[in-house]
Structures are given as structure tokens and as C-alpha cells.
């Protein structure tokens, strides 16, 4: 199948949008009328440019308020439509989107609407143009795809068919199953959009908050499966109105859009048991169930190494050919990289995900247009394949056994006195414009699953947190969206962290304090409140207070945790999960944020 | 009456919030529990600080999920409450907010809730504490103030009363009139918040989008009048959860909050015919019905002066003692100011509003805490009083006759060949963090009225536009909210403009082109679309096309307009309003934005 994208999804002028779509590998575009009206190029120039870029012009949209009107108003509709048909001929477009009437409909009568669509179809036929009739979720009378199909059936004209849009169908909670009853040749066009679960009026939801497939809450693989079963063979096209995409680089947005379609097509093929799939299949890769390593980078990382020593890490050796040192504790591997001048202060530069076989994982990432990262390797060294995630953090699909031999001079094995440890989660702070893209990236490239989002109040704004996790919970990756205002400057607000799960946090922290660790100070009021909230023993709360440990409890178990100070833009968390506690102590986050702000 | 503010309205840590509230002139604060829990200071330190700052601690909030539960759960409630009462004694607070149960209520029975509130009241009485029970808009069973009052009546305990919150009442559309039936001594507390008209779930609306009185759509003067009629004499307190205020300077937010209360109290006194009013009355000032002048400032404004000459302005003279020149056309006065180094490129530095008597206007602004602006004046010159608006533009309440004599050497009077002209509107671009504050500023200081907001799609994001206007429409001030991402750098996105209304735009533009004016180029596709949309004569459209004029029409009349190029961050619009057209050609804005982006 072919891929297409509506120009309204992308920022910039029409020509810029066309270049972006072509560059991201789209086969065609839908021309959103206001984009054409505002463009200085003539329709003929746009047509010639599309031709040179290899883009087909798949749809002209939208034509509004066409049916369900009285005869006088319909005369105006025909006048408007004919001007558009002439324009479409200049563009070389033969399909027009006709939305169900929102503004001018006065007649709630399928026969009237069908008759008017038929007459519009007759006029269109004279120009060799076809009409795809779509039920808008907020249409005055027609707001359900089953009704728009009934009207198209009644219109009974070869140039009149339906357009199906996942947003308009799923946002209303309409069952997409009956799509399968529509004859394939009458489904003229398909528009795809995802959206977050929001309870707001459907028009605002539609205009501001649509997302690309894989970024929201709609079950689009199931939706597309119904359309496929109906036999639809036209393009898979995206129509997404979103306040963020309107502001971001159209080339980057177009790649994100193409990635979403490739992922969606692959998931749909899985559902249908379709080996070929509507688009080329992706290499199948199981989600990683452990972190392989975290790399922290700066011209000078010794502050981080002091923290690691205090926490009880063992020195794992120097890299054979690079200014890079390894620190280990149980299954935790932290790499400190002093090469190069950027970033200026310590920051998480890369995260390694432990995948059994890195080759198909890398191929999958490449097929999903994840930008590859090139790192110099020397003879005898493992060339690890890595990709740049939307916030710039490098993502490795790796396996320690393949690269750990490149480090010399460290402690062999790891001391066991402190018990084992593993990376519990890695928290990455996302700028506002790459948050949704990051959700899609980790969903599609690493097969992680987004959990419900949470919001946490900090002293300088609300922080939205989206955890991405592997099926068995071995990998947890909370993505924190910064408050809009904090675009730069505030290092603490941008700080990321690595959480280390240990088995006896009280013992670990007591020993670390002996080695000089000063955990983030927790206010006394917090412990007074803890006593009021949970009926804890006085001794236990005294221990928590003494060690600056935070506490949470839910029906699944308990969570004890504490934080180190921040070095550059990185800090560490120590956590002990008791029983099946699966959260992150979100209720304690405001206390942490205030303490960190000082 | 006293003024108070909940600490949740302000950003920062608790101590910072307290300083901000005191600095803005608040008499007291509500302590939002999470702010205390995260604070490193002990309750005793907070109490002593409040004392030194002259702030009373009016309310401890919120205590959740207190009533409507079974006996076992209620034992936990009493345990929790007693810990809070002890804490409140340490703080010296004697009033606690008890919200209607959201999470744990299982018994939908007024008698049960009343009985539990009574027992809670008995416990509170032992600590000399009173409880203000509030119906949350999303309470499990109790979500209406009339029901919370019925429960309080049933509880029948001197230490149990109600808290009224304008958000919870007005967001649900409940009639506030019945507030007057509640005995004054049982209204323990009043919380005020405004909000925009949004259709979303009430919880999200409440948590993210509340506003200070005068910034949203609620009729708060009418609301407060009901509370006043009931005889309430406690503090007027603000409780506003807002994503923006959480991120902005708390001192500035607190001043904005105080301004909103002073304005609200004054409007309420008007309604009640109350000469004294709940807070000191403001000097009464009629809204201005004309612009007095616009000042454009830069180290070098000659580019602007070239535009003014081409548009047909007369040189109105040089200022006697400053590097400032006046340009006039009919009733339009533009002042070009070359003094000083900032702003670097031409920008609107000041707007003069024509008020009959500037003295009370200035006193009103001062009473509303508008920051005064000081400009050096010399002997014999009029000392104009000006105030800094939230985006930094200086606002003058002035009258040309008072200052125009300070300009020498210009054309006496104005040539009439081009017909008369007036300033139709001045468009000021607002950064995201001062948009709501600007609405309140122009509402309260200048008595302008906010019109419904509109959104316009530009090539790099949606622009939200809020027009502030005078009752007779003589002053129109559209405030444009920039897309979030455009915080700096993009001059065109930040460009402001002055629109000049003339009587014969075709003649004016033709003459201006003779003098070298090059209007903003309008794409040919726009005119093709115009033909499809409106049935206009070919000759007329040809004239529009030739002169790059944009066109709009609605039921009230027609609008013809065009734009100059942008100099620095300023451009001009020429407009001709036909019949009673009252809009701004918003449908043409995307075309302008794309053309300006080049």
C-alpha cells in the first residue's frame, strides 16, 4: 500500500511541507486547501513540484457544508464546487474530501443528502473527479460513518464514495467492525490519526490533540485490520491536527509520521496473520528486559565517579582506546566518558538496552527511520549500532559480554558484600516538542509499552511523566515532560536520573554515608505527615528520617527510596521495592523537586 | 474585608510564596498542605515568619475523604485529622478546609455525612479548630454547595461550617443565588477563582485552567454580591490552579492576584450600590474611546518613517527636548523615538489612550498596582503618567492637546486630500506567561472588555487572539498569544502592528504605491479562492489583486485591508470598514502569516 500525509500535519509553507513529506519517504500528500490558498506558487507549479518530488496528490480537502441544505443554498454549493473542480484539474487531483455538513444543514434527511451528493457527483464526473464523503464526529446531522455510508449507498453514483477517518470514528466510540461490510471499491480514502484519552469536547480534541498512530490511546491496529478486511487498497494517509507539530521542523515531523505508519502497518499485519503486510514487514524484536549500561558524558565526570564510589560501585576498568571508564555494582554498569567538549556538564549521553541479538534490533530501528549514530571503533572492538532518540540520547541495542572485554584494569567480578543491584529505571527529561515523538520511538523501535501518564507539581511547574516499560517490567523508562516555560537555563529542572534497585536500602545508605555520601535532605514536615498518612512504627519512621529515606505504600507493597545530590544534570536514586510494588513513589516527587530547587 | 491567597497559586517554595503574598499586599494566606510538607522550615518557623511579614494564616487545606465512609474507615479519618489538628496548633491556624469525599465515600446519605462531620467537629473543638466543609464539583456524592450546606445544617455543630468556592459552584452551572440563604456565621470561608469557558471534564479544567477574577468567563461580581448579601465578613481568598502561574515569578503573580481582588471588590460594590465596598473603592474612569498616540522606539527608526511618508503621513514636528518626532494623518499620531539603545529594532514602546481626565485614570492604575513608568520631563513640559503593561508596553492615559505643543516645525494641521484616518486597532503580541495577566490589566486599569477569543493557524503554530475593546468600539486592542515554542529569535513572529482606518482604501493604497509603498504580496491562489467563496465582480477582484488587498464579508458588512512590510518588529495595516463590519478579517490571517514568513 502507499503512504500519504495531509499537509496540515506539517509546519511551514506548502512547498516546505512537500519537501518534508518527500524526504520522509511518503508516496503522496493530501492538499489542505488553506495551505494552497496561502502559497505564492500557482497550482501548476505545485503540480510540477509534486511530480519532480515523486509525490502523488491524493486528495484535495476539505469541501464543507455540501449537503442537507435547501435548493437555494445548494445552488451556491454547486457554484463553489465547480470552482474547486476546475482548480483540482489544474492541480491534477481527482479526489475531493466532502465533509458532512456542520454549519448550514437544515434538512435531517438521508434522501435529501443522498440526492445532493448524487448531483454533486454528476458535476464532478464531468471533471473526472470523485468525491469521498466523510462523517465528521461533530457533523450537524451526519456524525457516524455508518450513516455516511448509508447516504453514499443511496446516492448510488460511481463518483461518490466514503472517506473513513479513525479519529472521527474512534473518538465517538463507534464500533469500527462494520467497516468490513462496506465494499472495498466504495472506500475512496482512509485517514489515520491517534489521540490521547481526553474528556473534552470532540472538536477541540480533534483540532489540537490528535497524534500519529502509536502516540495515543486509540487501538489503531484493530481499526486498520477492519479496513484491510474490507479490501481497501488506497493509500494509508495521516491527518493529524496538533498544536506541537504545527510548531516543529516539518522534516522531523514527517519522519515521525512515516515511522508511525510503518509501525502501524506491521502491527496490523501481526493481527491479521498477514505475512506480507500492507507495508514491508519490520524485523521482529522482543522488548529488552534489562538495561545493559548507562553512559554519562562531560569534559569532566569525576564528580559523578565520586558519587559512584560513595554508593559502593567497583571500578570496572579503563577503555582500551577511549577516555572512558566503567563502574559496576551487581548488574549495573555505568560508563563515564570524558571525551569531547559536549555536553558541558555531566548528562546521560547513551542508554544501552540488553537485547539478545542486536542485529535485527538495529535493522528494525533503521527500518523505522531512527537516525543512526556513528562512533569511531578500532580494530578488535565491537562496533555497536546505536540510534539517536528524539531528545538526542543515544540508544544502543547491546549486550555487555560483547563489549566489556574492552575495559582493562578494573576489579574482576563484583564484590558481593553490598548485595546485588540492577538498574531499576532511567528517567529522561523530554523537551516539549519531542515528547510524543519519544513515546512513538520507544514503542516502535524497542517495543516498550506506554503506561498511563501522571502529573507531578514542582515548585516551577507541573511535570508530566510517561513511563515506558517492557512486558515483564525489567525495563522502566519514565519520560518526564518539562513545564513549557523551562526551555533552557535551569539545570536542575533538566536533570535526569538513574535509579538503582538494591535489596537492603537501609544498609546500603548507611554504608554510603560512611563513605561520605550526602543524600538529598528531606524536610522534617515530610516525616510528620508520613505518620499521619500511614500508621508506621515510630522506630521505622526514625530510621527513615535519619537516613533521608522517602516512603510509599500501596496495595501491592512498599517502596523506600532516596536521592543523591545532582552533579551537572544527573543524579542517582536508590530504591528498594518490597513485595510487588510497581510504582515510583510519585507522591514524593513534589518533596524531591522542592528540595532539589533548594 | 481582608484579602488572602492560597499558596498553591504561586510558584516556588513556601517561604518564597509567603514573601510574594506579603509584598503584593495580601493580609493572609491559605497553607496548601503539600507546600508545607515539602518545606524545610518547621511549622513554628513558618508561623513566626508569617507573623513578621504581617500575614495571617487563614486556612489549612485540603483535608480529603473525611465523610460518607463506614465506621472502620472513619476511625482512620479521626486518626489523620487529629495529627493535622496538632500540626495546625503548631502553625497557629484555627480553620481547616474539609473537601467533600471523592475517593473513599461509600455511603450516599446526608445523615451519615453530617454525623461524621459533627464528630470531627467535636474533635476539632478540643483543639479550638473549626472546619469549613466544601462541595467539590467532582465530589463522589456531594458536588453541590446546597447539599454541603444541608449537611452542615444537619451536623449542627458550632465548629462546622461551609466553605464556598466560586469555581466549584459556577463550573457546574449552579445558581449562586441561594448562597444568600446561608447564615453569615456558617460561611466559614470563601475561595474565589475565575475560569475560561471550556468544555472539558471539570477536574482537568479545575486543576489546569483556573484564572484570577477578571481573566476568565465567570460572572464573579454577581457571585460575590450573593456572598456579601449573605453577610459573609471573612477574607476574600483566591484559590487558582493554573499551569502558567506555577511557572512564573511568584511576586508578579501575587500582584496580579491582588489586582484581581481589588477590581472584583469594586465591581461588586457597583452592583450592590455599596459606596464603601468590601475593599477600598477605585477611582471611577470611563473606558477610552480613542487612541491618543502610538510610540515606536529603536536606536534608528528611519525605516518606519519611510513607511509613514509612503502611507501619506504628515511630518508633525520634532520634540523640543528629546530625540522624538511626530507623524500625523487625520486623528492618527505616531511618535518615533530614537533615544536609547533598547529595543534594538523598531517596536511599539508605548500606547496612549485618550482619556478625558488623566488624573483619576492614573490614580486608578496605581490603586490596581500597575507599575508606574518614569520618563524625564523638562520645565514646561507635561508630565504624563504612564504604567507598564504586563508585556512591558507602556500605557499612557493622555490627551493630545496636553502634549502636542511640545513638537515644533511640523506641518500645521493635516492635509485633507487623503481623507481622514484614525487608529482602528493596535495589535500587541503577548508572551505566553503574561497573556492572562494582560487581559486583567486592560480590563481593570482601562475598563476595556474582553471579546471571545479566536485561533488562527500560522505556518509555525496556532496564534490565539483576544480582542479587548471599549464599549462603543472606539478602542480595539487585539492581544495575540504566541505559539509556545516561539519564545525568542523569530522577529516576524513577534511583530506587532498598528491598523489605520481610512475611508477609501483603494485610493489610499494606489497613492501610497505611487510614493513607493510595497504592500505585503498576496498570493494569486487567494484571489481564485475569493471568487469561489463570494460572488464578487471580476473587476472588483481584479482591483483587489492589483493592489494586494485582502477582503472579508459577513452579515454586518465588508472589510478591505492590506499590510505593509515589517520594519524591525512593527508593521502597519490599512483597513476600510464598510457598513457595520466589526471583525478583523481573521480568515485572512493565515495568508498574511505565510506571506510574512516568506
Amino acid at each position: 500500500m502507499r503512504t500519504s500525509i495531509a499537509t496540515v500535519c506539517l509546519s511551514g509553507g506548502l512547498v516546505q511541507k512537500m519537501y518534508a513529506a518527500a524526504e520522509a519517504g511518503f508516496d503522496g500528500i493530501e492538499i489542505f486547501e488553506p495551505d494552497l490558498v496561502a502559497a505564492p506558487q500557482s497550482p501548476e507549479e505545485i503540480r510540477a513540484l509534486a511530480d519532480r518530488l515523486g509525490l502523488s496528490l491524493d486528495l484535495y480537502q476539505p469541501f464543507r457544508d455540501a449537503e442537507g441544505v435547501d435548493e437555494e443554498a445548494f445552488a451556491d454549493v454547486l457554484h463553489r464546487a465547480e470552482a474547486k473542480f476546475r482548480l483540482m484539474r489544474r492541480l491534477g487531483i481527482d479526489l475531493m474530501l466532502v465533509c458532512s455538513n456542520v454549519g448550514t444543514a437544515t434538512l435531517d434527511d438521508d434522501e435529501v443528502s443522498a440526492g445532493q451528493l448524487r448531483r454533486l457527483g454528476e458535476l464532478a464526473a464531468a471533471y473526472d473527479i470523485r468525491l469521498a464523503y466523510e462523517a465528521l464526529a461533530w457533523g450537524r446531522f451526519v456524525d457516524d460513518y455508518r450513516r455516511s455510508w448509508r447516504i453514499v449507498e443511496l446516492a448510488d453514483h460511481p463518483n461518490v464514495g466514503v472517506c473513513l477517518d479513525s479519529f472521527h470514528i474512534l473518538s465517538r466510540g463507534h464500533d469500527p467492525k462494520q467497516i468490513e461490510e462496506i465494499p472495498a471499491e466504495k472506500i475512496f480514502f482512509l485517514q489515520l490519526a491517534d489521540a490521547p484519552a481526553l474528556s473534552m469536547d470532540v472538536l477541540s480534541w480533534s483540532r489540537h490533540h490528535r497524534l500519529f498512530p502509536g502516540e495515543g490511546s486509540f487501538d489503531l491496529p484493530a481499526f486498520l485490520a477492519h479496513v484491510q478486511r474490507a479490501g481497501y487498497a488506497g493509500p494509508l494517509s495521516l491527518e493529524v491536527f496538533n498544536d506541537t507539530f504545527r510548531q516543529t521542523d516539518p522534516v522531523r515531523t514527517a519522519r515521525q509520521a512515516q515511522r508511525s505508519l510503518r509501525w502501524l502497518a506491521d502491527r496490523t499485519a501481526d493481527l491479521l496473520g498477514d505475512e506480507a503486510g500492507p507495508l514491508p514487514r519490520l524485523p521482529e524484536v522482543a522488548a529488552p528486559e534489562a538495561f545493559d549500561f548507562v553512559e554519562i558524558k562531560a569534559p569532566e565526570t569525576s564528580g559523578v565517579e565520586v558519587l559512584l564510589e560513595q554508593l559502593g560501585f567497583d571500578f570496572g576498568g579503563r577503555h582500551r582506546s577511549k577516555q572512558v571508564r566503567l563502574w559496576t555494582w551487581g548488574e549495573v554498569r555505568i560508563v563515564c566518558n570524558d571525551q569531547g567538549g559536549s555536553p558541558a556538564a555531566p548528562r546521560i549521553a547513551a542508554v544501552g538496552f540488553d537485547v539478545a541479538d542486536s542485529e535485527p534490533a538495529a535493522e528494525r530501528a533503521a527500518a523505522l527511520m531512527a537516525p543512526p549514530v556513528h562512533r569511531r571503533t578500532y580494530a578488535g572492538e565491537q562496533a555497536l549500532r546505536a540510534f539517536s532518540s528524539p531528545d538526542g540520547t543515544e540508544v544502543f541495542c547491546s549486550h555487555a559480554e560483547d563489549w566489556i572485554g574492552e575495559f582493562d584494569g578494573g576489579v574482576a567480578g563484583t564484590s558481593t558484600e553490598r548485595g546485588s543491584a540492577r538498574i531499576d529505571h532511567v528517567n529522561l527529561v523530554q523537551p516539549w516538542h519531542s515528547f510524543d515523538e519519544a513515546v512513538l520511538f520507544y514503542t516502535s523501535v524497542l517495543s516498550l509499552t506506554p503506561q498511563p501518564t501522571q502529573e507531578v507539581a514542582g515548585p516551577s511547574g507541573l511535570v508530566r511523566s510517561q513511563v515506558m516499560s517492557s512486558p515483564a517490567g525489567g525495563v522502566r523508562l519514565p519520560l518526564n515532560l518539562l513545564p513549557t516555560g523551562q526551555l533552557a537555563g535551569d539545570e536542575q529542572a533538566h536533570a535526569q536520573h538513574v535509579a538503582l534497585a538494591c535489596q537492603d536500602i537501609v544498609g546500603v545508605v548507611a554504608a554510603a554515608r560512611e563513605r561520605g555520601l550526602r543524600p538529598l535532605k528531606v524536610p522534617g514536615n515530610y516525616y510528620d505527615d508520613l505518620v499521619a498518612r500511614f500508621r508506621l512504627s515510630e522506630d521505622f519512621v526514625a530510621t527513615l528520617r535519619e537516613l533521608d529515606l522517602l516512603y510509599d505504600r500501596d496495595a501491592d507493597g512498599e517502596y523506600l527510596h532516596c536521592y543523591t545530590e545532582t552533579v551537572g544534570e544527573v543524579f542517582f536514586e536508590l530504591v528498594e521495592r518490597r513485595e510487588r510494588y510497581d510504582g515510583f513513589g510519585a507522591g514524593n516527587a513534589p518533596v524531591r523537586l522542592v528540595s532539589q530547587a533548594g
Side-chain angles (χ1 to χ4, degrees), chain A:
Chain A
M1 279 168 108
R2 302 171 52 263
T3 59
S4 188
I5 186 166
T7 54
V8 73
C9 305
L10 304 171
S11 66
L14 180 56
V15 166
Q16 207 181 350
K17 293 168 189 243
M18 291 170 70
Y19 273 99
E23 138 100 38
F26 280 92
D27 302 304
I29 56 173
E30 307 175 19
I31 296 268
F32 181 60
E33 180 169 285
D35 284 327
L36 181 78
V37 169
Q41 294 78 15
S42 70
E44 289 75 12
E45 285 175 277
I46 296 300
R47 178 183 194 159
L49 174 63
D51 202 41
R52 172 163 65 83
L53 295 175
L55 288 173
S56 61
L57 301 181
D58 293 325
L59 185 75
Y60 188 83
Q61 64 122 317
F63 189 78
R64 298 185 193 281
D65 298 339
E67 39 63 47
V69 297
D70 61 33
E71 273 304 303
E72 192 190 331
F74 191 65
D76 266 342
V77 169
L78 290 173
H79 168 80
R80 262 199 302 138
E82 192 154 19
K84 298 302 168 195
F85 295 156
R86 280 196 291 263
L87 174 66
M88 287 170 66
R89 286 273 53 102
R90 292 172 65 192
L91 286 160
I93 303 185
D94 62 9
L95 187 62
M96 181 163 87
L97 178 74
V98 178
C99 304
S100 64
N101 198 320
V102 170
T104 61
T106 50
L107 303 168
D108 184 8
D109 183 330
D110 288 357
E111 291 284 356
V112 169
S113 291
Q116 291 175 339
L117 278 185
R118 186 184 317 116
R119 285 156 68 194
L120 213 51
E122 284 159 5
L123 181 61
Y127 291 87
D128 224 0
I129 280 169
R130 296 182 311 145
L131 308 175
Y133 180 57
E134 172 181 82
L136 296 179
W138 54 91
R140 176 85 202 280
F141 300 124
V142 180
D143 58 7
D144 184 326
Y145 78 95
R146 291 161 292 206
R147 185 160 180 196
S148 59
W149 161 234
R150 199 159 59 234
I151 291 170
V152 165
E153 245 186 323
L154 280 171
D156 191 26
H157 190 283
N159 289 50
V160 178
V162 292
C163 173
L164 299 175
D165 183 312
S166 62
F167 183 86
H168 293 292
I169 296 169
L170 300 178
S171 67
R172 295 292 305 269
H174 296 156
D175 186 348
K177 195 172 174 352
Q178 287 156 270
I179 290 173
E180 298 179 23
E181 295 163 20
I182 308 176
E185 69 277 9
K186 291 306 252 185
I187 307 179
F188 282 8
F189 209 72
L190 172 67
Q191 293 178 317
L192 296 164
D194 203 342
L198 289 175
S199 58
M200 57 175 7
D201 67 292
V202 73
L203 181 60
S204 308
W205 190 17
S206 165
R207 293 279 166 82
H208 301 286
H209 301 286
R210 292 198 201 193
L211 293 169
F212 292 123
E215 299 178 344
S217 304
F218 288 168
D219 187 354
L220 287 173
F223 178 87
L224 183 56
H226 293 302
V227 179
Q228 295 266 96
R229 283 202 197 95
Y232 172 73
L236 299 179
S237 191
L238 294 161
E239 190 192 32
V240 169
F241 299 78
N242 177 295
D243 291 356
T244 299
F245 303 157
R246 285 179 189 274
Q247 296 181 57
T248 39
D249 174 15
V251 173
R252 184 166 168 168
T253 308
R255 278 205 211 107
Q256 177 184 356
Q258 179 69 222
R259 176 183 300 155
S260 81
L261 277 187
R262 294 185 186 179
W263 168 81
L264 171 61
D266 193 62
R267 289 295 308 275
T268 306
D270 280 344
L271 274 185
L272 292 171
D274 175 2
E275 272 183 38
L279 296 179
R281 298 300 307 265
L282 301 173
E284 204 172 322
V285 175
E289 282 295 351
F291 289 95
D292 187 30
F293 68 90
V294 168
E295 179 190 56
I296 294 169
K297 193 161 182 282
E300 166 67 50
T301 57
S302 62
V304 175
E305 297 189 302
V306 169
L307 275 186
L308 295 173
E309 276 209 277
Q310 290 172 337
L311 287 168
F313 274 74
D314 293 312
F315 180 63
R318 288 172 196 287
H319 191 269
R320 207 184 281 171
S321 61
K322 297 171 190 160
Q323 281 285 91
V324 169
R325 290 170 304 283
L326 173 67
W327 293 82
T328 65
W329 173 19
E331 299 164 45
V332 183
R333 288 168 287 276
I334 305 281
V335 172
C336 290
N337 182 342
D338 287 358
Q339 300 188 117
S342 157
R347 217 177 141 66
I348 295 175
V351 178
F353 293 88
D354 188 358
V355 294
D357 188 354
S358 64
E359 205 44 45
E363 276 167 29
R364 180 181 173 93
L368 286 163
M369 313 181 82
V373 168
H374 295 287
R375 290 206 179 187
R376 178 183 291 182
T377 48
Y378 298 90
E381 291 173 12
Q382 181 74 16
L384 300 174
R385 288 180 68 177
F387 297 88
S388 182
S389 72
D391 72 350
T393 307
E394 298 177 0
V395 164
F396 284 76
C397 295
S398 55
H399 197 56
E401 285 176 19
D402 294 335
W403 55 266
I404 207 158
E406 294 167 17
F407 288 83
D408 302 322
V411 174
T414 185
S415 49
T416 53
E417 46 151 329
R418 287 175 297 280
S420 75
R422 64 191 304 280
I423 295 179
D424 185 86
H425 59 275
V426 176
N427 186 305
L428 297 176
V429 169
Q430 303 293 311
W432 65 275
H433 59 270
S434 69
F435 186 79
D436 296 314
E437 189 183 353
V439 172
L440 174 64
F441 179 89
Y442 292 108
T443 297
S444 62
V445 172
L446 289 181
S447 302
L448 299 180
T449 307
Q451 307 303 318
T453 58
Q454 278 198 305
E455 272 175 350
V456 167
S460 46
L462 285 183
V463 177
R464 187 169 138 213
S465 181
Q466 164 80 72
V467 177
M468 306 294 304
S469 63
S470 61
V475 163
R476 294 183 176 97
L477 192 72
L479 305 175
N480 278 12
L481 175 63
L482 276 178
T484 330
Q486 296 182 333
L487 294 182
D490 183 349
E491 281 203 345
Q492 187 58 63
H494 286 80
Q496 315 159 311
H497 77 269
V498 182
L500 311 167
C502 61
Q503 285 157 336
D504 169 24
I505 193 169
V506 169
V508 165
V509 172
R513 289 172 77 109
E514 293 284 314
R515 284 188 294 266
L517 184 82
R518 283 178 310 183
L520 186 74
K521 190 75 197 145
V522 176
N525 298 330
Y526 171 80
Y527 296 102
D528 294 345
D529 183 61
L530 217 49
V531 172
R533 275 199 292 154
F534 306 109
R535 298 192 179 201
L536 300 170
S537 79
E538 287 194 11
D539 277 4
F540 182 62
V541 173
T543 302
L544 298 177
R545 193 189 291 260
E546 192 193 326
L547 296 176
D548 289 301
L549 290 175
L550 296 151
Y551 177 84
D552 190 30
R553 187 174 73 199
D554 64 18
D556 295 325
E558 292 172 300
Y559 190 62
L560 280 71
H561 57 139
C562 72
Y563 298 93
T564 68
E565 57 191 1
T566 303
V567 177
E569 297 186 355
V570 181
F571 61 94
F572 294 90
E573 180 181 5
L574 282 171
V575 317
E576 181 185 335
R577 292 181 183 273
R578 293 183 174 176
E579 298 175 68
R580 293 169 314 286
Y581 182 93
D582 198 35
F584 298 84
N588 297 327
V591 173
R592 165 174 71 80
L593 290 165
V594 170
S595 297
Q596 287 180 327

